[in-house]
Each structure stands twice: as C-alpha cells, then as structure tokens.
Amino acid sequence: MANTSSAIKRARQEPKRRMRNRVIKAKMRTIVKQAQTAVVADDKEAAQAAVVAAISQLDKAAQKGVLHPNNAARRKARLMKRLNAM
C-alpha cells in the first residue's frame, strides 16, 4: 500500500489513466487491423480510406502519449508501404 501522499494520489490516478489508454489503444489496433485486411483484399479505394483512418488514429494515440511518436511513425510507414505495393 502507498505510504506517501503523492503515492496515494498516484494510486488513485493510475486506474483512470489505464482505462483511458486501453480504450485508445484498442480502437487504434482495431482500425489498423481493418486497414491491413483492406490492403490484403486488393480494393484500392477502400484500402486507401482505411489507411487514412488508421494513420489518423495512430497520430491521435501518439499525441495523447499512449504510443511513442516513433512507434506511430514506424507503423504508418509500414502501412503506406503495403498500400503502395498494391
């Protein structure tokens, strides 16, 4: 159990932050997975729209601190690479 007042406050804050981060991360994963399946399906317009949505979601996750900016950039680059290879 936390002893100091700052540790007690941190223990109160963490569950709220964890739940918020889980929601953002789950939404990001879902949209990225939809973009990957759209790219595999070889439908150019749908894949392009899905990739744009995934990039937007990755940027939001990086902006909120859920994902490291370099991690988001790497994921976006890989998505675009797959899209351009179609």
Side-chain angles (χ1 to χ4, degrees), residues 32 51 54-60 62 69-83:
V32 168
V51 167
I55 287 174
S56 173
Q57 199 65 38
L58 285 165
D59 284 336
K60 284 180 186 174
N70 290 352
N71 190 315
R74 184 180 66 241
R75 290 174 188 233
K76 291 189 301 186
R78 288 179 180 172
L79 267 175
M80 287 305 297
K81 190 174 178 183
R82 285 183 180 180
L83 180 66

Side-chain angles (χ1 to χ4, degrees), residues 1-2 4 14-17 20 27 30 32 34 36 44 51 56 61-62 71 76 79 81:
M1 186 60 198
T4 63
E14 275 306 310
K16 288 184 260 185
R17 290 174 193 245
R20 192 178 315 130
K27 189 173 183 180
T30 302
V32 168
Q34 287 171 352
Q36 288 173 345
K44 190 75 170 175
V51 167
S56 173
N71 190 315
K76 291 189 301 186
L79 267 175
K81 190 174 178 183

Side-chain angles (χ1 to χ4, degrees), residues 11-27:
R12 275 198 323 262
Q13 290 175 336
E14 275 306 310
K16 288 184 260 185
R17 290 174 193 245
R18 190 178 318 116
M19 288 306 295
R20 192 178 315 130
N21 289 346
R22 275 181 60 188
V23 169
I24 294 167
K25 202 176 271 194
K27 189 173 183 180

